Amino acid sequence: MSSFWKNKPLEKVIRYPIKYHQIHQEKVKPSRRLEIQEANDLFFVTNETQALSAFWTYLSMSISIVLLFFLITLGMSKDKINLSVYFIAIIPLTIALFHLIVFFLVPVKEIVLDRMNSKITYPRLFGNKEHRTIQFDSLHVYAAMTTSGDFAVTGKKIRIKDRKYSYTWDLESTYPEEYWSFMVWYMDKNRPLPPGTAFDEYRQQDFERRKAEGFPKPLYPSRFETPEATPAQQRERKKIGGW
């Protein structure tokens, strides 16, 4: 299997209809980690900061070990209890506390899609506060495989390969091709906003903006039609813009 480092970057093409990655209003949760912060006709912002899931996982492991040993030794005389076994629980507990510290200390990390200026902002690694902003046209996104602990292939994901800083940032591992189509669609400011109720209140003003500009042709190709919100708007776009 070839490395993604040697693969060509994904083309900026809308290949898939947006079915699983429709952005609905209830998915927009400002100030919540690993959630969508903003979704409108100007910006689409996702929080990429580490959550507490790893902390709870390792804390549960530690508690489970202690409870299991307690049940095994229940009813035994004290001199037969090997207290050193309890130290096994220290390992996951230490890891849990590490993730808790990281949760409070790690800088906020976001991916920001700037639709009007055709720019994307994305974070650097771990504790680094810096975010890099580049033109979306300059973004290099690659397809890669996800693997389990024994390196068995379990699925796909897409990731940014930053040539300037020589690091990668994973974007999505659930329906990655569709997610990439969503990003390209959203960043094509000459097309209507992608499907999803979060964008509904902004569709009219986005339509009026594009109409005032003469409905310029799309920036990126699509493998299927991306019509306006209403048939009347579609007829108007066809008459003025010719597409």
Side-chain angles (χ1 to χ4, degrees), residues 151-165:
F151 299 102
V153 175
T154 57
K156 298 179 181 179
K157 60 184 173 183
I158 55 174
R159 53 175 41 165
I160 294 172
K161 176 185 172 185
D162 192 311
R163 294 182 173 180
K164 180 177 180 180
Y165 295 112

Side-chain angles (χ1 to χ4, degrees), residues 18-242:
I18 311 304
K19 178 180 179 181
Y20 298 103
H21 282 288
Q22 290 192 20
I23 309 302
H24 295 300
Q25 187 60 49
E26 61 268 20
K27 293 183 179 180
V28 181
K29 301 176 181 178
S31 303
R32 291 279 298 276
R33 297 190 181 210
L34 301 180
E35 299 287 353
I36 298 170
Q37 306 296 291
E38 184 177 354
N40 52 49
D41 58 329
L42 301 178
F43 297 100
F44 180 76
V45 183
T46 58
N47 186 301
E48 305 292 323
T49 314
Q50 181 173 317
L52 277 174
S53 55
F55 165 74
W56 291 116
T57 298
Y58 288 105
L59 182 62
S60 298
M61 289 174 57
S62 180
I63 294 173
S64 298
I65 291 172
V66 172
L67 289 177
L68 178 62
F69 183 67
F70 175 77
L71 291 174
I72 291 174
T73 58
L74 189 65
M76 298 177 62
S77 59
K78 187 176 180 180
D79 59 340
K80 291 184 179 180
I81 298 178
N82 184 2
L83 296 180
S84 63
V85 178
Y86 282 106
F87 286 101
I88 299 175
I90 293 179
I91 297 175
L93 180 60
T94 301
I95 298 175
L97 292 176
F98 169 77
H99 282 282
L100 184 63
I101 293 173
V102 169
F103 176 82
F104 287 109
L105 295 184
V106 70
V108 173
K109 295 182 177 297
E110 292 181 331
I111 292 179
V112 180
L113 299 182
D114 183 343
R115 179 172 159 91
M116 290 300 97
N117 295 306
S118 300
K119 293 182 179 181
I120 180 172
T121 298
Y122 54 91
R124 295 196 65 183
L125 298 179
F126 196 56
N128 197 311
K129 295 181 179 180
E130 181 181 351
H131 284 62
R132 188 180 182 207
T133 299
I134 62 173
Q135 290 296 130
F136 187 71
D137 283 344
S138 301
L139 181 70
H140 295 283
V141 171
Y142 294 78
M145 296 295 183
T146 57
T147 58
S148 60
D150 58 356
F151 299 102
V153 175
T154 57
K156 298 179 181 179
K157 60 184 173 183
I158 55 174
R159 53 175 41 165
I160 294 172
K161 176 185 172 185
D162 192 311
R163 294 182 173 180
K164 180 177 180 180
Y165 295 112
S166 299
Y167 73 89
T168 63
W169 188 274
D170 287 349
L171 288 173
E172 180 65 32
S173 59
T174 305
Y175 306 107
E177 295 95 343
E178 183 181 310
Y179 186 73
W180 177 237
S181 287
F182 164 77
M183 290 183 68
V184 176
W185 187 341
Y186 179 81
M187 291 301 287
D188 192 337
K189 63 183 179 180
N190 294 343
R191 291 187 186 274
L193 289 162
T197 58
F199 297 120
D200 284 353
E201 64 178 294
Y202 307 101
R203 295 189 190 280
Q204 184 62 40
Q205 65 188 37
D206 186 71
F207 174 83
E208 296 297 337
R209 172 189 63 80
R210 290 181 290 112
K211 179 180 176 180
E213 295 171 357
F215 291 114
K217 295 295 191 297
L219 301 174
Y220 307 111
S222 175
R223 297 291 184 258
F224 54 91
E225 294 296 325
T226 55
E228 301 294 332
T230 67
Q233 289 180 342
Q234 181 63 29
R235 288 193 296 269
E236 198 166 0
R237 187 182 84 184
K238 181 68 175 178
K239 180 180 179 181
I240 298 174

